[in-house]
Amino acid sequence: MNTNKNDKFSATSQLENDTCTVYLRGELDLSVAPDFRQVMEPLVGDEALHLIINMKDLKYIDSTGIGILLSILKARHGMKAEFLVKEVPDQIQKLFDMTGIAKFFAAQENSQ
């Protein structure tokens, strides 16, 4: 398990077999983007991994956080590697809907 925490954000990765789940907690914004990138960078390039981001405990995401998610989606799609987003809180789902990115995560939004 790998954890990157500060007072308002944490990203904790858990590896089980060939699946890596990254649990986001708190507020993902410009100030913590480097922390999030640091956790995700080694995982995104591993095409053998099934990569899942669990947002159940995420309270807020800004455009920087959304941009990182989209770059991960693009990279994983280019490698034909699995990338799922699970347990998106209602307030973040509304933001995804308003910005038009919900369609990219639509198949995964209510997966458990």
Side-chain angles (χ1 to χ4, degrees), residues 9 24-29 53-63 65-67 69 85-103 105 109-110:
F9 174 76
L24 303 184
R25 166 178 249 112
E27 300 178 4
L28 174 52
D29 61 19
I53 292 185
N54 184 304
M55 296 186 169
K56 181 175 79 170
D57 295 319
L58 193 65
K59 305 295 181 218
Y60 173 81
I61 188 169
D62 72 358
S63 60
I66 290 172
L69 290 177
V85 176
K86 292 187 174 185
E87 297 190 67
V88 180
D90 289 343
Q91 73 273 15
I92 294 174
Q93 185 61 49
K94 286 178 189 172
L95 180 62
F96 286 0
D97 291 340
M98 288 186 330
T99 57
I101 66 165
K103 62 186 171 205
F105 302 127
E109 67 188 32
N110 292 318

Side-chain angles (χ1 to χ4, degrees), residues 27-46:
E27 300 178 4
L28 174 52
D29 61 19
L30 178 63
S31 67
V32 297
D35 299 336
F36 183 45
R37 283 192 183 103
Q38 182 179 356
V39 170
M40 296 307 299
E41 196 170 294
L43 304 174
V44 171
D46 188 344

